[in-house]
Amino acid sequence: MTKSELVEKIVESNSVLTRKESELVVNLVFDAMSAALKKGEKVEIRGFGSFTIRERGPREARNPKSGEVVRIPAKRTPFFKTGKDLRERVNTLD
């Protein structure tokens, strides 16, 4: 599901919000989550899962074409851990 499909689902299931308002709500939620992760905070949505930031140290790798050693700097990457309810919903056979 894409972001625009999510907005469309919200519009279909809720007659009060317009498409523009639904899009604004979705963008606000994603922006708030991104800002919290950028600050190093954990984002937890009960029953769905949690997002955290993992630190990756610097390392050396090789360019597969030339074999040259390339330094990769340290970076922070987002990590998602599914919640129990989501795991159970995905694994049930309907």
Side-chain angles (χ1 to χ4, degrees), residues 1 14-15 18 24 29 32 35-36 42-43 51 53 58-60 62 64 66 69 74 76 82-83 88 91 93:
M1 174 181 282
N14 188 338
S15 61
T18 65
L24 179 65
V29 170
K42 179 179 179 180
V43 176
F51 296 87
I53 293 293
R59 60 190 173 101
E60 290 183 351
R62 292 201 179 272
S66 65
V69 174
R76 299 166 39 164
T82 57
E88 289 173 355
N91 287 320
L93 301 173

Side-chain angles (χ1 to χ4, degrees), residues 22-39:
S22 299
E23 191 172 346
L24 179 65
V25 169
V26 169
N27 287 335
L28 285 171
V29 170
F30 288 156
D31 290 345
M33 290 172 62
S34 297
L37 289 170
K38 191 172 184 178
K39 289 189 235 175

Side-chain angles (χ1 to χ4, degrees), residues 1-13 22 26 30:
M1 174 181 282
T2 63
K3 193 159 108 175
S4 59
E5 290 172 340
L6 176 61
V7 169
E8 198 58 42
K9 279 253 192 220
I10 293 171
V11 170
E12 290 172 4
S13 66
S22 299
V26 169
F30 288 156

Side-chain angles (χ1 to χ4, degrees), residues 46-73:
R46 300 279 175 168
F48 184 74
S50 60
F51 296 87
T52 55
I53 293 293
R54 290 202 173 164
E55 304 282 336
R56 296 192 65 189
R59 60 190 173 101
E60 290 183 351
R62 292 201 179 272
N63 180 336
K65 189 172 185 179
S66 65
E68 179 183 345
V69 174
V70 179
R71 301 250 332 124
I72 299 175

